[in-house]
Amino acid sequence: MMMGKLLAADFLKIRKKMIWFLIFLAPVGVVSLQAVNYGLRYDYLMKTTEADRWGGLLGGIHFLLTPALLLGIAIIASMVANIEHQMNAWKQLLALPIPRTSVYAAKFALVALLLSVSCILLGIGTVLLGTMLDLGDKVPLAEVVKLAFYPFAASLPVLALQLWMSLTIHNQAIPLTVGIAGSIVSMFVTLPAWVVWSWPTLINEAGKPEYSVGAGLVVGIGLLLLGMIDFMRRDVN
């Protein structure tokens, strides 16, 4: 009940913010870039992906999705936290008879729900693009769902870290710089397996995307709990 009220209040706070525009812009941008790619190289791409045309489309979108997702996490987490920072509302909010853990969990849930909307829109856009490109009558819905949600699940540790930084650091340039650097590096550099910014790529030694997803869920929950503990003990201004 308490979480529901906090979430409802947080949704009201972002009602007139640019956050919703970004939530829609990200999946539309990724799908549009892939549409342009096919528009410019249609014959070549159709020939090279003849054996699995849907797989070729999904692979191209996944390549663009990873940095966009990491960048989106950093920006959305920062924007959600900055609402309280800009209004200097932390002291008033934390003075209410509400557990700090609930406040923190509500912010995490808000960002996760917003990003889930983007994932759903990405899946819908992917199916529409594939249908328009006439890639085949049998749409691989299971693979589309994996494309939309596997990278997000694997990125939960990044979400937990970005939210913790955004909530506890007043200067949002710091968490944004970390998030932007992580998204850029993940695109051009092969990172060590322990670096969480590499997990949304779903590349691991076992060659099983589910391992990255499982690690993301477990480590993400662990980092969320650690962030809650730190938030409980910290003076947030």
Tab-separated table of all heavy atoms in Angstrom, residues 40-99:
chain	number	residue	atom	x	y	z
A	40	LEU	N	18.657	2.023	-46.901
A	40	LEU	CA	19.851	2.317	-47.684
A	40	LEU	C	20.501	1.061	-48.255
A	40	LEU	O	21.128	1.114	-49.314
A	40	LEU	CB	20.865	3.061	-46.809
A	40	LEU	CG	20.449	4.460	-46.324
A	40	LEU	CD1	21.502	5.010	-45.355
A	40	LEU	CD2	20.281	5.402	-47.506
A	41	ARG	N	20.360	-0.061	-47.542
A	41	ARG	CA	21.059	-1.287	-47.966
A	41	ARG	C	20.112	-2.468	-48.041
A	41	ARG	O	20.484	-3.584	-47.691
A	41	ARG	CB	22.194	-1.590	-46.987
A	41	ARG	CG	23.192	-0.458	-46.791
A	41	ARG	CD	24.409	-0.968	-46.032
A	41	ARG	NE	24.058	-1.480	-44.713
A	41	ARG	CZ	24.845	-2.310	-44.006
A	41	ARG	NH1	25.973	-2.742	-44.523
A	41	ARG	NH2	24.478	-2.716	-42.801
A	42	TYR	N	18.917	-2.253	-48.521
A	42	TYR	CA	17.884	-3.286	-48.475
A	42	TYR	C	18.315	-4.570	-49.198
A	42	TYR	O	18.270	-5.663	-48.634
A	42	TYR	CB	16.584	-2.755	-49.081
A	42	TYR	CG	15.459	-3.757	-49.034
A	42	TYR	CD1	14.726	-3.949	-47.875
A	42	TYR	CD2	15.125	-4.513	-50.171
A	42	TYR	CE1	13.694	-4.872	-47.823
A	42	TYR	CE2	14.103	-5.435	-50.132
A	42	TYR	CZ	13.379	-5.614	-48.952
A	42	TYR	OH	12.368	-6.538	-48.908
A	43	ASP	N	18.732	-4.441	-50.446
A	43	ASP	CA	19.075	-5.635	-51.228
A	43	ASP	C	20.236	-6.400	-50.587
A	43	ASP	O	20.211	-7.637	-50.503
A	43	ASP	CB	19.450	-5.234	-52.661
A	43	ASP	CG	18.244	-4.706	-53.434
A	43	ASP	OD1	17.105	-5.072	-53.080
A	43	ASP	OD2	18.450	-3.917	-54.376
A	44	TYR	N	21.243	-5.670	-50.138
A	44	TYR	CA	22.410	-6.319	-49.517
A	44	TYR	C	22.014	-7.046	-48.243
A	44	TYR	O	22.389	-8.211	-48.030
A	44	TYR	CB	23.479	-5.270	-49.231
A	44	TYR	CG	24.629	-5.783	-48.403
A	44	TYR	CD1	25.621	-6.564	-48.973
A	44	TYR	CD2	24.702	-5.500	-47.040
A	44	TYR	CE1	26.679	-7.052	-48.217
A	44	TYR	CE2	25.746	-5.979	-46.270
A	44	TYR	CZ	26.731	-6.756	-46.857
A	44	TYR	OH	27.766	-7.244	-46.097
A	45	LEU	N	21.249	-6.384	-47.391
A	45	LEU	CA	20.872	-6.988	-46.117
A	45	LEU	C	19.938	-8.172	-46.312
A	45	LEU	O	20.048	-9.185	-45.599
A	45	LEU	CB	20.215	-5.937	-45.209
A	45	LEU	CG	21.147	-4.849	-44.679
A	45	LEU	CD1	20.352	-3.764	-43.962
A	45	LEU	CD2	22.188	-5.446	-43.732
A	46	MET	N	19.034	-8.079	-47.249
A	46	MET	CA	18.133	-9.195	-47.516
A	46	MET	C	18.894	-10.406	-48.045
A	46	MET	O	18.528	-11.556	-47.770
A	46	MET	CB	17.057	-8.768	-48.509
A	46	MET	CG	16.099	-7.721	-47.958
A	46	MET	SD	15.102	-8.322	-46.571
A	46	MET	CE	13.875	-9.282	-47.443
A	47	LYS	N	19.961	-10.134	-48.804
A	47	LYS	CA	20.757	-11.239	-49.345
A	47	LYS	C	21.613	-11.882	-48.267
A	47	LYS	O	21.680	-13.114	-48.165
A	47	LYS	CB	21.644	-10.720	-50.478
A	47	LYS	CG	22.480	-11.807	-51.148
A	47	LYS	CD	23.286	-11.239	-52.302
A	47	LYS	CE	24.111	-12.333	-52.983
A	47	LYS	NZ	24.908	-11.799	-54.131
A	48	THR	N	22.269	-11.060	-47.435
A	48	THR	CA	23.174	-11.601	-46.409
A	48	THR	C	22.416	-12.266	-45.262
A	48	THR	O	22.987	-13.092	-44.541
A	48	THR	CB	24.073	-10.487	-45.842
A	48	THR	OG1	23.253	-9.417	-45.352
A	48	THR	CG2	25.008	-9.952	-46.914
A	49	THR	N	21.153	-11.924	-45.069
A	49	THR	CA	20.372	-12.531	-43.980
A	49	THR	C	19.296	-13.468	-44.523
A	49	THR	O	18.305	-13.741	-43.845
A	49	THR	CB	19.705	-11.436	-43.113
A	49	THR	OG1	18.796	-10.672	-43.937
A	49	THR	CG2	20.747	-10.507	-42.520
A	50	GLU	N	19.517	-13.954	-45.729
A	50	GLU	CA	18.499	-14.779	-46.386
A	50	GLU	C	18.125	-16.000	-45.563
A	50	GLU	O	16.965	-16.417	-45.526
A	50	GLU	CB	18.990	-15.207	-47.767
A	50	GLU	CG	17.937	-15.925	-48.599
A	50	GLU	CD	18.400	-16.202	-50.020
A	50	GLU	OE1	19.549	-15.821	-50.350
A	50	GLU	OE2	17.619	-16.778	-50.778
A	51	ALA	N	19.097	-16.590	-44.877
A	51	ALA	CA	18.838	-17.796	-44.088
A	51	ALA	C	17.963	-17.498	-42.871
A	51	ALA	O	17.203	-18.353	-42.411
A	51	ALA	CB	20.154	-18.432	-43.643
A	52	ASP	N	18.082	-16.297	-42.321
A	52	ASP	CA	17.310	-15.923	-41.130
A	52	ASP	C	17.117	-14.400	-41.141
A	52	ASP	O	17.841	-13.667	-40.476
A	52	ASP	CB	18.036	-16.370	-39.855
A	52	ASP	CG	17.223	-16.089	-38.598
A	52	ASP	OD1	16.048	-15.701	-38.723
A	52	ASP	OD2	17.768	-16.244	-37.493
A	53	ARG	N	16.138	-13.953	-41.890
A	53	ARG	CA	15.958	-12.517	-42.072
A	53	ARG	C	15.483	-11.828	-40.800
A	53	ARG	O	15.898	-10.707	-40.503
A	53	ARG	CB	14.996	-12.274	-43.232
A	53	ARG	CG	15.653	-12.558	-44.575
A	53	ARG	CD	14.703	-12.422	-45.748
A	53	ARG	NE	15.430	-12.575	-47.003
A	53	ARG	CZ	14.851	-12.738	-48.184
A	53	ARG	NH1	13.523	-12.785	-48.258
A	53	ARG	NH2	15.579	-12.861	-49.276
A	54	TRP	N	14.626	-12.472	-40.054
A	54	TRP	CA	14.203	-11.899	-38.781
A	54	TRP	C	15.386	-11.821	-37.815
A	54	TRP	O	15.543	-10.845	-37.078
A	54	TRP	CB	13.069	-12.711	-38.163
A	54	TRP	CG	11.709	-12.309	-38.654
A	54	TRP	CD1	10.948	-12.952	-39.584
A	54	TRP	CD2	10.949	-11.171	-38.241
A	54	TRP	NE1	9.760	-12.291	-39.788
A	54	TRP	CE2	9.731	-11.190	-38.970
A	54	TRP	CE3	11.173	-10.127	-37.350
A	54	TRP	CZ2	8.743	-10.221	-38.807
A	54	TRP	CZ3	10.190	-9.157	-37.178
A	54	TRP	CH2	9.005	-9.203	-37.902
A	55	GLY	N	16.210	-12.859	-37.822
A	55	GLY	CA	17.390	-12.860	-36.960
A	55	GLY	C	18.343	-11.732	-37.304
A	55	GLY	O	18.947	-11.121	-36.419
A	56	GLY	N	18.467	-11.432	-38.590
A	56	GLY	CA	19.319	-10.321	-39.008
A	56	GLY	C	18.801	-8.988	-38.504
A	56	GLY	O	19.565	-8.135	-38.037
A	57	LEU	N	17.481	-8.806	-38.577
A	57	LEU	CA	16.879	-7.570	-38.082
A	57	LEU	C	17.063	-7.440	-36.574
A	57	LEU	O	17.467	-6.376	-36.064
A	57	LEU	CB	15.381	-7.546	-38.421
A	57	LEU	CG	14.597	-6.365	-37.830
A	57	LEU	CD1	15.066	-5.051	-38.429
A	57	LEU	CD2	13.098	-6.559	-38.047
A	58	LEU	N	16.805	-8.527	-35.841
A	58	LEU	CA	16.922	-8.491	-34.382
A	58	LEU	C	18.358	-8.237	-33.952
A	58	LEU	O	18.606	-7.509	-32.983
A	58	LEU	CB	16.411	-9.811	-33.776
A	58	LEU	CG	14.943	-10.148	-34.040
A	58	LEU	CD1	14.552	-11.427	-33.325
A	58	LEU	CD2	14.026	-9.014	-33.623
A	59	GLY	N	19.309	-8.827	-34.679
A	59	GLY	CA	20.721	-8.607	-34.352
A	59	GLY	C	21.131	-7.157	-34.543
A	59	GLY	O	21.862	-6.595	-33.723
A	60	GLY	N	20.647	-6.543	-35.616
A	60	GLY	CA	20.973	-5.139	-35.860
A	60	GLY	C	20.379	-4.224	-34.815
A	60	GLY	O	21.025	-3.273	-34.361
A	61	ILE	N	19.142	-4.515	-34.406
A	61	ILE	CA	18.502	-3.691	-33.384
A	61	ILE	C	19.198	-3.874	-32.039
A	61	ILE	O	19.385	-2.911	-31.284
A	61	ILE	CB	17.004	-4.031	-33.280
A	61	ILE	CG1	16.276	-3.514	-34.530
A	61	ILE	CG2	16.383	-3.442	-32.011
A	61	ILE	CD1	14.802	-3.796	-34.555
A	62	HIS	N	19.608	-5.097	-31.724
A	62	HIS	CA	20.301	-5.339	-30.450
A	62	HIS	C	21.606	-4.559	-30.370
A	62	HIS	O	21.973	-4.049	-29.307
A	62	HIS	CB	20.574	-6.834	-30.267
A	62	HIS	CG	21.253	-7.157	-28.979
A	62	HIS	ND1	22.603	-7.410	-28.894
A	62	HIS	CD2	20.781	-7.227	-27.709
A	62	HIS	CE1	22.931	-7.647	-27.636
A	62	HIS	NE2	21.853	-7.538	-26.898
A	63	PHE	N	22.315	-4.450	-31.484
A	63	PHE	CA	23.572	-3.692	-31.505
A	63	PHE	C	23.328	-2.234	-31.131
A	63	PHE	O	24.119	-1.630	-30.397
A	63	PHE	CB	24.202	-3.794	-32.899
A	63	PHE	CG	25.444	-2.944	-33.051
A	63	PHE	CD1	26.655	-3.351	-32.510
A	63	PHE	CD2	25.390	-1.734	-33.738
A	63	PHE	CE1	27.796	-2.564	-32.646
A	63	PHE	CE2	26.525	-0.943	-33.877
A	63	PHE	CZ	27.724	-1.366	-33.331
A	64	LEU	N	22.242	-1.665	-31.636
A	64	LEU	CA	21.915	-0.267	-31.330
A	64	LEU	C	21.287	-0.122	-29.944
A	64	LEU	O	21.421	0.924	-29.296
A	64	LEU	CB	20.941	0.279	-32.372
A	64	LEU	CG	21.444	0.325	-33.816
A	64	LEU	CD1	20.298	0.664	-34.763
A	64	LEU	CD2	22.564	1.345	-33.965
A	65	LEU	N	20.620	-1.176	-29.485
A	65	LEU	CA	19.871	-1.112	-28.231
A	65	LEU	C	20.768	-0.953	-27.012
A	65	LEU	O	20.447	-0.182	-26.100
A	65	LEU	CB	19.011	-2.376	-28.090
A	65	LEU	CG	18.355	-2.623	-26.731
A	65	LEU	CD1	17.385	-1.497	-26.396
A	65	LEU	CD2	17.644	-3.974	-26.722
A	66	THR	N	21.889	-1.677	-26.978
A	66	THR	CA	22.718	-1.706	-25.773
A	66	THR	C	23.179	-0.322	-25.323
A	66	THR	O	22.926	0.068	-24.179
A	66	THR	CB	23.920	-2.640	-25.970
A	66	THR	OG1	23.445	-3.954	-26.286
A	66	THR	CG2	24.772	-2.701	-24.712
A	67	PRO	N	23.850	0.462	-26.165
A	67	PRO	CA	24.263	1.793	-25.697
A	67	PRO	C	23.080	2.705	-25.414
A	67	PRO	O	23.127	3.525	-24.496
A	67	PRO	CB	25.112	2.329	-26.855
A	67	PRO	CG	24.713	1.549	-28.047
A	67	PRO	CD	24.329	0.199	-27.541
A	68	ALA	N	21.994	2.558	-26.193
A	68	ALA	CA	20.817	3.392	-25.960
A	68	ALA	C	20.194	3.083	-24.599
A	68	ALA	O	19.762	3.989	-23.873
A	68	ALA	CB	19.794	3.174	-27.072
A	69	LEU	N	20.155	1.817	-24.243
A	69	LEU	CA	19.600	1.405	-22.956
A	69	LEU	C	20.426	1.934	-21.796
A	69	LEU	O	19.883	2.495	-20.832
A	69	LEU	CB	19.524	-0.128	-22.892
A	69	LEU	CG	19.100	-0.737	-21.558
A	69	LEU	CD1	17.683	-0.305	-21.197
A	69	LEU	CD2	19.193	-2.264	-21.620
A	70	LEU	N	21.747	1.785	-21.883
A	70	LEU	CA	22.623	2.253	-20.811
A	70	LEU	C	22.553	3.767	-20.655
A	70	LEU	O	22.533	4.292	-19.536
A	70	LEU	CB	24.061	1.808	-21.086
A	70	LEU	CG	24.308	0.297	-21.025
A	70	LEU	CD1	25.716	-0.037	-21.489
A	70	LEU	CD2	24.069	-0.233	-19.620
A	71	LEU	N	22.512	4.455	-21.771
A	71	LEU	CA	22.388	5.919	-21.727
A	71	LEU	C	21.033	6.322	-21.151
A	71	LEU	O	20.935	7.257	-20.343
A	71	LEU	CB	22.560	6.494	-23.133
A	71	LEU	CG	22.573	8.026	-23.256
A	71	LEU	CD1	23.711	8.624	-22.451
A	71	LEU	CD2	22.678	8.433	-24.717
A	72	GLY	N	19.993	5.604	-21.551
A	72	GLY	CA	18.662	5.899	-21.044
A	72	GLY	C	18.549	5.694	-19.550
A	72	GLY	O	17.912	6.483	-18.847
A	73	ILE	N	19.176	4.639	-19.048
A	73	ILE	CA	19.161	4.382	-17.603
A	73	ILE	C	19.774	5.554	-16.855
A	73	ILE	O	19.218	6.043	-15.861
A	73	ILE	CB	19.919	3.076	-17.286
A	73	ILE	CG1	19.096	1.863	-17.713
A	73	ILE	CG2	20.256	2.984	-15.794
A	73	ILE	CD1	19.827	0.545	-17.600
A	74	ALA	N	20.928	6.018	-17.326
A	74	ALA	CA	21.619	7.128	-16.652
A	74	ALA	C	20.773	8.396	-16.669
A	74	ALA	O	20.648	9.092	-15.648
A	74	ALA	CB	22.971	7.376	-17.320
A	75	ILE	N	20.174	8.701	-17.816
A	75	ILE	CA	19.410	9.947	-17.952
A	75	ILE	C	18.119	9.892	-17.137
A	75	ILE	O	17.784	10.836	-16.402
A	75	ILE	CB	19.103	10.229	-19.431
A	75	ILE	CG1	20.399	10.526	-20.187
A	75	ILE	CG2	18.137	11.399	-19.566
A	75	ILE	CD1	20.221	10.672	-21.687
A	76	ILE	N	17.373	8.792	-17.251
A	76	ILE	CA	16.096	8.691	-16.537
A	76	ILE	C	16.317	8.670	-15.025
A	76	ILE	O	15.593	9.346	-14.282
A	76	ILE	CB	15.319	7.438	-16.985
A	76	ILE	CG1	15.027	7.493	-18.498
A	76	ILE	CG2	14.027	7.305	-16.190
A	76	ILE	CD1	14.245	8.705	-18.925
A	77	ALA	N	17.311	7.914	-14.558
A	77	ALA	CA	17.595	7.880	-13.114
A	77	ALA	C	17.960	9.272	-12.610
A	77	ALA	O	17.518	9.696	-11.534
A	77	ALA	CB	18.716	6.894	-12.822
A	78	SER	N	18.759	9.983	-13.383
A	78	SER	CA	19.163	11.332	-12.989
A	78	SER	C	17.974	12.290	-12.969
A	78	SER	O	17.827	13.099	-12.044
A	78	SER	CB	20.235	11.859	-13.952
A	78	SER	OG	20.577	13.189	-13.644
A	79	MET	N	17.113	12.204	-13.974
A	79	MET	CA	15.962	13.100	-14.044
A	79	MET	C	14.976	12.845	-12.903
A	79	MET	O	14.410	13.776	-12.325
A	79	MET	CB	15.268	12.958	-15.401
A	79	MET	CG	16.094	13.464	-16.568
A	79	MET	SD	15.246	13.296	-18.165
A	79	MET	CE	14.016	14.596	-18.038
A	80	VAL	N	14.763	11.571	-12.567
A	80	VAL	CA	13.864	11.229	-11.464
A	80	VAL	C	14.416	11.762	-10.143
A	80	VAL	O	13.686	12.347	-9.339
A	80	VAL	CB	13.664	9.698	-11.389
A	80	VAL	CG1	13.031	9.290	-10.064
A	80	VAL	CG2	12.806	9.220	-12.562
A	81	ALA	N	15.721	11.566	-9.913
A	81	ALA	CA	16.332	12.036	-8.670
A	81	ALA	C	16.396	13.559	-8.622
A	81	ALA	O	16.224	14.167	-7.558
A	81	ALA	CB	17.739	11.456	-8.530
A	82	ASN	N	16.616	14.174	-9.765
A	82	ASN	CA	16.815	15.626	-9.797
A	82	ASN	C	15.539	16.406	-9.487
A	82	ASN	O	15.601	17.592	-9.136
A	82	ASN	CB	17.359	16.049	-11.160
A	82	ASN	CG	18.153	17.337	-11.078
A	82	ASN	OD1	18.878	17.572	-10.118
A	82	ASN	ND2	18.022	18.190	-12.080
A	83	ILE	N	14.394	15.754	-9.613
A	83	ILE	CA	13.145	16.416	-9.227
A	83	ILE	C	13.198	16.802	-7.752
A	83	ILE	O	12.836	17.917	-7.367
A	83	ILE	CB	11.938	15.497	-9.504
A	83	ILE	CG1	11.767	15.278	-11.006
A	83	ILE	CG2	10.668	16.080	-8.900
A	83	ILE	CD1	10.712	14.247	-11.365
A	84	GLU	N	13.682	15.879	-6.919
A	84	GLU	CA	13.795	16.164	-5.479
A	84	GLU	C	14.953	17.129	-5.211
A	84	GLU	O	14.838	18.015	-4.362
A	84	GLU	CB	14.016	14.865	-4.699
A	84	GLU	CG	13.053	13.736	-5.036
A	84	GLU	CD	11.610	14.042	-4.665
A	84	GLU	OE1	11.366	15.024	-3.938
A	84	GLU	OE2	10.717	13.310	-5.119
A	85	HIS	N	16.064	16.961	-5.928
A	85	HIS	CA	17.225	17.839	-5.717
A	85	HIS	C	16.887	19.291	-6.059
A	85	HIS	O	17.225	20.210	-5.306
A	85	HIS	CB	18.403	17.371	-6.570
A	85	HIS	CG	19.008	16.080	-6.120
A	85	HIS	ND1	19.370	15.840	-4.817
A	85	HIS	CD2	19.341	14.949	-6.814
A	85	HIS	CE1	19.882	14.615	-4.710
A	85	HIS	NE2	19.869	14.059	-5.916
A	86	GLN	N	16.226	19.516	-7.194
A	86	GLN	CA	15.921	20.871	-7.635
A	86	GLN	C	14.948	21.581	-6.694
A	86	GLN	O	15.045	22.788	-6.474
A	86	GLN	CB	15.341	20.847	-9.052
A	86	GLN	CG	16.366	20.572	-10.132
A	86	GLN	CD	15.746	20.603	-11.517
A	86	GLN	OE1	14.551	20.335	-11.699
A	86	GLN	NE2	16.547	20.917	-12.521
A	87	MET	N	14.017	20.832	-6.145
A	87	MET	CA	13.018	21.414	-5.250
A	87	MET	C	13.490	21.455	-3.794
A	87	MET	O	12.755	21.941	-2.929
A	87	MET	CB	11.715	20.607	-5.345
A	87	MET	CG	11.077	20.597	-6.731
A	87	MET	SD	9.679	19.443	-6.844
A	87	MET	CE	8.589	20.108	-5.599
A	88	ASN	N	14.717	20.924	-3.557
A	88	ASN	CA	15.218	20.803	-2.184
A	88	ASN	C	14.181	20.127	-1.287
A	88	ASN	O	13.904	20.567	-0.159
A	88	ASN	CB	15.578	22.184	-1.617
A	88	ASN	CG	16.787	22.785	-2.319
A	88	ASN	OD1	17.763	22.092	-2.592
A	88	ASN	ND2	16.711	24.068	-2.620
A	89	ALA	N	13.595	19.053	-1.828
A	89	ALA	CA	12.460	18.409	-1.164
A	89	ALA	C	12.845	17.189	-0.336
A	89	ALA	O	11.975	16.572	0.292
A	89	ALA	CB	11.429	17.997	-2.215
A	90	TRP	N	14.135	16.842	-0.318
A	90	TRP	CA	14.514	15.622	0.387
A	90	TRP	C	14.191	15.691	1.879
A	90	TRP	O	13.670	14.745	2.452
A	90	TRP	CB	16.004	15.332	0.192
A	90	TRP	CG	16.336	14.715	-1.123
A	90	TRP	CD1	17.111	15.232	-2.103
A	90	TRP	CD2	15.883	13.452	-1.610
A	90	TRP	NE1	17.170	14.382	-3.173
A	90	TRP	CE2	16.421	13.272	-2.896
A	90	TRP	CE3	15.059	12.456	-1.097
A	90	TRP	CZ2	16.177	12.148	-3.676
A	90	TRP	CZ3	14.808	11.325	-1.860
A	90	TRP	CH2	15.364	11.184	-3.146
A	91	LYS	N	14.504	16.809	2.519
A	91	LYS	CA	14.271	16.901	3.961
A	91	LYS	C	12.789	16.794	4.293
A	91	LYS	O	12.401	16.123	5.252
A	91	LYS	CB	14.850	18.212	4.500
A	91	LYS	CG	16.375	18.226	4.534
A	91	LYS	CD	16.908	19.486	5.205
A	91	LYS	CE	18.439	19.435	5.280
A	91	LYS	NZ	18.997	20.651	5.935
A	92	GLN	N	11.948	17.459	3.482
A	92	GLN	CA	10.508	17.369	3.714
A	92	GLN	C	9.995	15.949	3.475
A	92	GLN	O	9.173	15.437	4.240
A	92	GLN	CB	9.757	18.343	2.808
A	92	GLN	CG	10.034	19.812	3.091
A	92	GLN	CD	11.163	20.358	2.226
A	92	GLN	OE1	12.151	19.665	1.978
A	92	GLN	NE2	11.006	21.598	1.766
A	93	LEU	N	10.484	15.335	2.393
A	93	LEU	CA	10.033	13.980	2.061
A	93	LEU	C	10.447	12.977	3.128
A	93	LEU	O	9.648	12.152	3.578
A	93	LEU	CB	10.600	13.567	0.697
A	93	LEU	CG	10.273	12.146	0.208
A	93	LEU	CD1	8.770	11.955	0.085
A	93	LEU	CD2	10.954	11.868	-1.123
A	94	LEU	N	11.724	13.055	3.537
A	94	LEU	CA	12.243	12.085	4.500
A	94	LEU	C	11.772	12.364	5.921
A	94	LEU	O	11.941	11.528	6.801
A	94	LEU	CB	13.773	12.056	4.440
A	94	LEU	CG	14.362	11.638	3.078
A	94	LEU	CD1	15.880	11.692	3.108
A	94	LEU	CD2	13.887	10.240	2.696
A	95	ALA	N	11.197	13.552	6.141
A	95	ALA	CA	10.644	13.869	7.467
A	95	ALA	C	9.271	13.230	7.665
A	95	ALA	O	8.782	13.146	8.795
A	95	ALA	CB	10.552	15.381	7.650
A	96	LEU	N	8.645	12.792	6.582
A	96	LEU	CA	7.342	12.148	6.671
A	96	LEU	C	7.485	10.771	7.322
A	96	LEU	O	8.552	10.161	7.279
A	96	LEU	CB	6.737	12.005	5.274
A	96	LEU	CG	6.426	13.310	4.528
A	96	LEU	CD1	5.993	13.002	3.100
A	96	LEU	CD2	5.354	14.105	5.256
A	97	PRO	N	6.409	10.269	7.932
A	97	PRO	CA	6.463	8.941	8.574
A	97	PRO	C	6.467	7.807	7.544
A	97	PRO	O	5.560	6.966	7.500
A	97	PRO	CB	5.197	8.935	9.436
A	97	PRO	CG	4.244	9.840	8.709
A	97	PRO	CD	5.100	10.930	8.126
A	98	ILE	N	7.458	7.840	6.684
A	98	ILE	CA	7.602	6.842	5.620
A	98	ILE	C	9.000	6.242	5.721
A	98	ILE	O	9.983	6.989	5.816
A	98	ILE	CB	7.430	7.493	4.228
A	98	ILE	CG1	6.062	8.180	4.109
A	98	ILE	CG2	7.581	6.450	3.130
A	98	ILE	CD1	5.912	9.005	2.859
A	99	PRO	N	9.129	4.924	5.712
A	99	PRO	CA	10.465	4.319	5.762
A	99	PRO	C	11.316	4.769	4.570
A	99	PRO	O	10.829	4.847	3.443
A	99	PRO	CB	10.187	2.815	5.700
A	99	PRO	CG	8.755	2.668	6.119
A	99	PRO	CD	8.058	3.915	5.675
